[in-house]
Amino acid sequence: ARRLGRGYVPVRHVRLWEMRLSVYVKASQRANVTKVHVASAATGGPGGMLGNKGGLVVRLRLGATSLAFVSCHLAAHSHMLSRRNHNCSELLRETASALGPRHLTAAAQFDHVFWLGDLNYRTDLNAAAAAAGEEAPFPTDEEHHGQVLRLVEQGDWGALLGADQLAASRAAGEAFVGFEEGPIAFAPTFKVERSSELVYQQKRIPSYCDRVLWKSAAGLRGAVSQTSLAALPRVSTSDHKPVVATFSLTPSEALRGTMQEVRSGGSRGSRGSSRKSSLFGNVSSSFAAGSASFTGSRAYASLDVVRPTVRIRGLSASELVDMDYTGGCDPYCVVSANPYELLYCAAHEHVLKKGEAAASTVKHGQDCTWPDDEVPLLRLRGVRTAALPHTTLLLAVLDKDNVILGKDDPVGVVQVPLRPVGWSQDSDLPPSFEVEFDEPLVQGMASTDLKSGRPLGRLRGTLSIATTAEAIEEALAEARADGAGEKARTVKLGASAFERRWRCC
């Protein structure tokens, strides 16, 4: 805190063995920080029981912007690439229930997640050559080390990053799918002598182990931009050179408003007063793009607040990975949203207890289609029409576990922004529109099953969205005539630490 200055105060510190993660905020904004939770997971040693490897997570809300910060120390050594990718999945899986719904990890449920630390991915020129169908050009570690040093001396960062294991894992769908990373224009930060000069040790290949990545919800992509990324070569306290990144973030309030309560008739607690929740009321003018200024004043729903309908047509999954011991998969689909409080269920006209709706199970089907009458017809809570493009529908596929006391296993998640193709910030939404999606399932941060190497599968369908009163009335009449959602059901996925602490409704 002393280094940051008096203008900052701590939000939370979390520790796992020698790992630390500290989150600070400007003192003027501390009152706007809510829903702070922390979690940690050890992945080192036999059975992942030791905390020398693993990670830490802090989640919070700043105003109406949900954020997660993840710091980790992954498995070391060049040949442990697969172990590193597994570490990422383990960390997300083991911290999920402490942060939110168990089937949505920190990589899926927040507006923005920032991931940093000693990721330990190495430079491997031989693996890069093999991927290009060439023979390994450097048969010994000495030759490999010498060539990497020559590239460092030449400042050929592109050649080094072309042999980066993290980049290869992202391309293969094995880690950090959907994450972004700013351009790296500095020398590898590992493994160095403890000196104010940049001197590499001979026993390790110089590598970009220390990284900072980020991911935004589909409806908020572009709200984060990296303004700087640099190494600090003169710091000599470790065999790593630290990396520092700065970002500019447009608050979610500036794009889609805030969750506010609208009351009509009577005062608080008076008999006969009616209450209803409205998502995204008017936004204070202080929420300028790029501003980090949040206010606590009440905002009331404006005349453009509506309850759009979202009908999911032709929902199908294909080539699902085997989830059962005997092969196959018993998939069902759970629908939720970012922000999480967004959903109503039209079939029952009440807020879902977990903010989710589910389609029914298809037995032992790796390729399946859900009938439209089993897929929920969704009503969104009161939302400004202009805010809709910045919201996201989350469709999670889970495998039904029929073992007594067993837990249903997440297969993967697809994120679909609620806006038409080609929409821009300067254009108005049409009264009704469709969004087609055909996306790979992503579980945690991988679209590939790390055990079998197979893709997790794909989810496809069409969202039919109505946004004006007349279009909504027509959409509801058509849905009722077709029986859409009549057999859909709500689902309880099991109480988690998050659900016990934070009831959504």
Side-chain angles (χ1 to χ4, degrees), residues 194-213:
R194 294 176 184 247
S195 161
S196 60
E197 304 296 327
L198 190 61
V199 180
Y200 293 100
Q201 297 185 17
Q202 289 294 321
K203 59 182 179 180
R204 295 287 185 270
I205 303 296
S207 299
Y208 292 102
C209 291
D210 310 287
R211 311 291 276 267
V212 181
L213 301 97

Side-chain angles (χ1 to χ4, degrees), residues 269-290:
S270 64
R271 183 179 301 274
S273 65
S274 63
R275 297 177 60 183
K276 64 179 179 179
S277 294
S278 174
L279 188 60
F280 314 144
N282 292 335
V283 184
S284 167
S285 60
S286 65
F287 298 121

Side-chain angles (χ1 to χ4, degrees), residues 90-264:
E90 291 171 33
L91 169 57
L92 288 170
R93 182 176 64 251
E94 293 181 16
T95 58
S97 61
L99 302 172
R102 188 177 67 85
H103 68 289
L104 294 177
T105 70
Q109 62 179 292
F110 302 113
D111 292 352
H112 310 286
V113 55
F114 296 88
W115 194 295
L116 62 153
D118 178 7
L119 276 56
N120 253 324
Y121 288 93
R122 306 303 173 92
T123 303
D124 193 337
L125 297 174
N126 288 327
E134 303 171 2
E135 293 186 6
F138 308 107
T140 68
D141 288 343
E142 291 77 10
E143 291 176 288
H144 194 189
H145 192 283
Q147 178 59 20
V148 171
L149 279 182
R150 283 189 286 274
L151 292 172
V152 172
E153 292 168 357
Q154 296 165 10
D156 194 346
W157 316 136
L160 291 169
L161 291 166
D164 174 48
Q165 289 181 337
L166 175 54
S169 292
R170 291 175 66 189
E174 296 172 345
F176 293 97
V177 173
F179 278 74
E180 300 180 66
E181 186 177 27
I184 295 175
F186 49 82
T189 56
F190 175 86
K191 182 173 187 169
V192 300
E193 300 288 351
R194 294 176 184 247
S195 161
S196 60
E197 304 296 327
L198 190 61
V199 180
Y200 293 100
Q201 297 185 17
Q202 289 294 321
K203 59 182 179 180
R204 295 287 185 270
I205 303 296
S207 299
Y208 292 102
C209 291
D210 310 287
R211 311 291 276 267
V212 181
L213 301 97
W214 74 96
K215 180 182 179 182
S216 299
L220 294 171
R221 287 172 189 156
V224 173
S225 59
Q226 189 175 78
T227 55
S228 70
L229 177 64
L232 304 178
R234 297 190 64 81
V235 177
S236 57
T237 55
S238 168
D239 56 2
H240 294 251
K241 296 297 184 182
V243 170
V244 177
T246 60
F247 297 86
S248 174
L249 187 154
T250 302
S252 298
E253 292 92 322
L255 298 171
R256 64 190 187 194
T258 59
M259 180 68 181
Q260 302 291 351
E261 183 178 72
V262 176
R263 294 178 174 88
S264 60

